[in-house]
Amino acid sequence: MPQLNPLDWAPQLIWLVITFGLLYGLMKWVALPRIGSLIETRQAHIARDLEAADRLRRETQEAIAAYEQALAEAKQRAHAIAEEGRIKAKEEVAAERGRLETMLNAKTADAEARIHAAKSSALKEVDAVAVEVAAEIVRKLIGVAPSKPEIAKAVAAAREE
Amino acid sequence: MVEAEAAAEGAHGGATSLPNPMHQFEIKRYLDIHPFGIDASFTNSALFMVIAACLITLFTLYATRKRELVPSRVQSVAEISYEFVANMVRDNVGTSGMQYFPFIFTLFMFVLALNLLGMMPYSFTVTSHIIVTFALAAFVFLGVTLIGFIKHGVKFLKLFVPSGVPVVMLPLLVVIEVISYLTRPLSLSVRLFANMMAGHTMLKVFGAFVVALGLLGGWAPLAFMVGFTGLEILVAFLQAYVFAILTCIYLNDALHMHH
């Protein structure tokens, strides 16, 4: 077994120390810091991006909340305005109706008064005619002209029946 | 025709003298260097250690040359290996172990590169030499023990005293604990070395079978070799991982002592 030849050990050990020592130095002070900084930079970048994404998401949620609040407020206001309008319209309608009703009532009352007046005047005329006719009838029948107040009394009594 | 027969005979004759499967593990000196009388020759083993170190350095630097936020494929691989080892250290040792992360990373990548380089034809598998794996394991063992004593002082010896055990049993159990602690570098190094050596020896033996059995019978060992090569690549990864994670576990024992 060539491995067990002690004469070959010294050169192998010496070159092992040289190459391993140099490689260790190069790795420790050159290569590994480079790779390590690369990985750290990337992780920092990813962390920063994630944080930014989180912040944006939070901002979006806030914006959505604000929008929804504004929408709710607007809806409420619209509702109030509509309600107000409805009440106002109702009041106007009521007022108009009242005005019309009073006007109609006035007209009705006026007309009724006029009818009443016409009726009474007509009745008076009827009474006068009835008195004259009754006096004429009585005169023709018995040839005696009755006194006017008696006839008027008799006519009024007959009308009362 | 005569020449072809002779060639076939030669191939068949080779069956009696199959190539030595251990030949691939031989150390070849390319450059004799002897400073202060110590043999520091540049060998094939040293060459592959240098190649592995260069490949790892070039890979990590090339992968991170653009520093892209969205990583390219090669940058992704570098980041994945970083995260893989970092998670291994974090899970097994905790955040206090992260100061040893560069060492674990270097260890993992170095062993992995050496194992994988060994899978290339005509290459040399550095980790198939017990002296290399033992040196790494011994360094880990000594370092971890030192860290334990620096961190806990004499209390570190409590690691060898299991809690909730009858006093009568303690002497025996302490001896067992000490032995198991001292065999850590051995088991750590032998596991890697034996896996590598066994795998490569197998490949070589079956490679020799392919040549020996020729066009007619060589297909069976060849098919086996294809599958076995895949398994060996898995083993290369697995052994590097096992080496690194056991180092993490030993480090955790030294730092936190919850045994």
Side-chain angles (χ1 to χ4, degrees):
Chain A
M1 228 157 93
Q3 285 95 329
L4 298 180
N5 179 6
L7 288 177
D8 286 340
W9 288 356
Q12 287 192 76
L13 287 177
I14 285 163
W15 281 97
L16 175 67
V17 170
I18 293 170
T19 50
F20 192 86
L22 277 177
L23 186 65
Y24 176 71
L26 281 167
M27 290 298 115
K28 186 176 167 70
W29 286 295
V30 184
L32 291 179
R34 274 171 73 146
I35 305 176
S37 79
L38 270 174
I39 292 170
E40 256 170 46
T41 310
R42 178 171 316 116
Q43 272 168 354
H45 198 281
I46 289 169
R48 209 166 53 234
D49 284 0
L50 279 178
E51 203 189 328
D54 195 48
R55 190 168 44 76
L56 287 174
R57 193 172 52 82
R58 243 186 352 258
E59 278 174 12
T60 311
Q61 277 173 351
E62 275 164 19
I64 287 170
Y67 160 76
E68 271 172 3
Q69 202 187 346
L71 192 67
E73 271 172 20
K75 262 185 189 163
Q76 211 172 8
R77 224 166 40 227
H79 193 68
I81 288 168
E83 188 70 11
E84 202 181 309
R86 208 152 56 85
I87 289 167
K88 214 162 117 189
K90 218 158 139 188
E91 276 170 3
E92 270 170 18
V93 167
E96 183 72 9
R97 194 163 53 201
R99 202 173 55 79
L100 280 173
E101 269 175 5
T102 47
M103 199 181 77
L104 285 174
N105 283 347
K107 271 187 181 166
T108 313
D110 189 39
E112 268 173 5
R114 266 190 293 148
I115 289 163
H116 195 71
K119 202 168 135 188
S120 58
S121 74
L123 277 175
K124 258 180 208 153
E125 269 168 34
V126 168
D127 276 3
V129 172
V131 169
E132 265 173 42
V133 170
E136 194 58 35
I137 290 167
V138 167
R139 198 181 52 86
K140 285 253 176 93
L141 282 174
I142 59 175
V144 178
S147 69
K148 245 188 178 162
E150 268 176 18
I151 293 194
K153 214 167 72 205
V155 166
R159 197 155 51 89
E160 282 297 308
E161 281 172 9
Chain B
M1 276 305 276
V2 178
E3 269 173 24
E5 271 175 22
E9 208 176 295
H12 283 295
T16 51
S17 59
L18 282 171
N20 182 4
M22 301 312 261
H23 177 74
Q24 56 176 324
F25 302 122
E26 258 158 33
I27 297 288
K28 296 187 193 85
R29 283 171 171 71
Y30 297 142
L31 222 87
D32 280 324
I33 310 167
H34 292 88
F36 316 115
I38 305 165
D39 186 6
S41 304
F42 192 76
T43 58
N44 49 355
S45 166
L47 174 67
F48 276 90
M49 285 192 240
V50 170
I51 290 173
C54 287
L55 277 181
I56 294 165
T57 308
L58 287 178
F59 163 66
T60 49
L61 295 187
Y62 175 79
T64 53
R65 74 196 183 286
K66 283 194 202 149
R67 298 166 175 271
E68 288 166 313
L69 195 62
V70 177
S72 59
R73 265 177 288 186
V74 67
Q75 188 182 323
S76 213
V77 174
E79 283 177 15
I80 287 167
S81 20
Y82 180 101
E83 294 272 26
F84 177 69
V85 181
N87 285 336
M88 191 201 296
V89 176
R90 220 174 282 130
D91 293 347
N92 290 292
V93 193
T95 39
S96 61
M98 282 311 276
Q99 56 175 315
Y100 306 106
F101 164 64
F103 176 75
I104 310 273
F105 183 82
T106 312
L107 192 65
F108 174 71
M109 293 302 274
F110 193 59
V111 173
L112 179 64
L114 292 176
N115 290 355
L116 286 177
L117 277 173
M119 289 310 296
M120 304 239 298
Y122 300 107
S123 70
F124 177 81
T125 316
V126 180
T127 42
S128 66
H129 272 257
I130 180 76
I131 189 64
V132 173
T133 60
F134 184 74
L136 289 173
F139 182 76
V140 167
F141 174 76
L142 289 177
V144 159
T145 310
L146 216 64
I147 289 165
F149 274 115
I150 288 169
K151 189 133 181 17
H152 303 287
V154 189
K155 280 184 193 161
F156 185 58
L157 291 172
K158 271 191 188 164
L159 191 69
F160 305 120
V161 187
S163 56
V165 171
V167 186
V168 202
M169 297 291 289
L170 267 182
L172 181 67
L173 282 170
V174 167
V175 169
I176 290 172
E177 287 286 338
V178 170
I179 290 171
S180 87
Y181 188 79
L182 291 178
T183 50
R184 276 176 177 186
L186 226 64
S187 66
L188 191 58
S189 57
V190 168
R191 186 181 297 112
L192 176 59
F193 145 74
N195 265 288
M196 287 302 122
M197 192 189 68
H200 285 266
T201 310
M202 274 284 258
L203 279 177
K204 198 76 176 184
V205 168
F206 275 83
F209 283 170
V210 175
V211 176
L213 294 173
L215 274 177
L216 281 175
W219 298 105
L222 184 66
F224 174 80
M225 275 182 79
V226 170
F228 196 73
T229 303
L231 184 73
E232 273 302 294
I233 288 169
L234 176 76
V235 167
F237 269 101
L238 199 68
Q239 287 306 320
Y241 174 71
V242 165
F243 205 97
I245 205 160
L246 282 174
T247 303
C248 285
I249 288 166
Y250 297 162
L251 194 60
N252 184 44
D253 277 351
L255 286 177
H256 303 119
M257 284 191 64
H258 33 66
H259 197 51

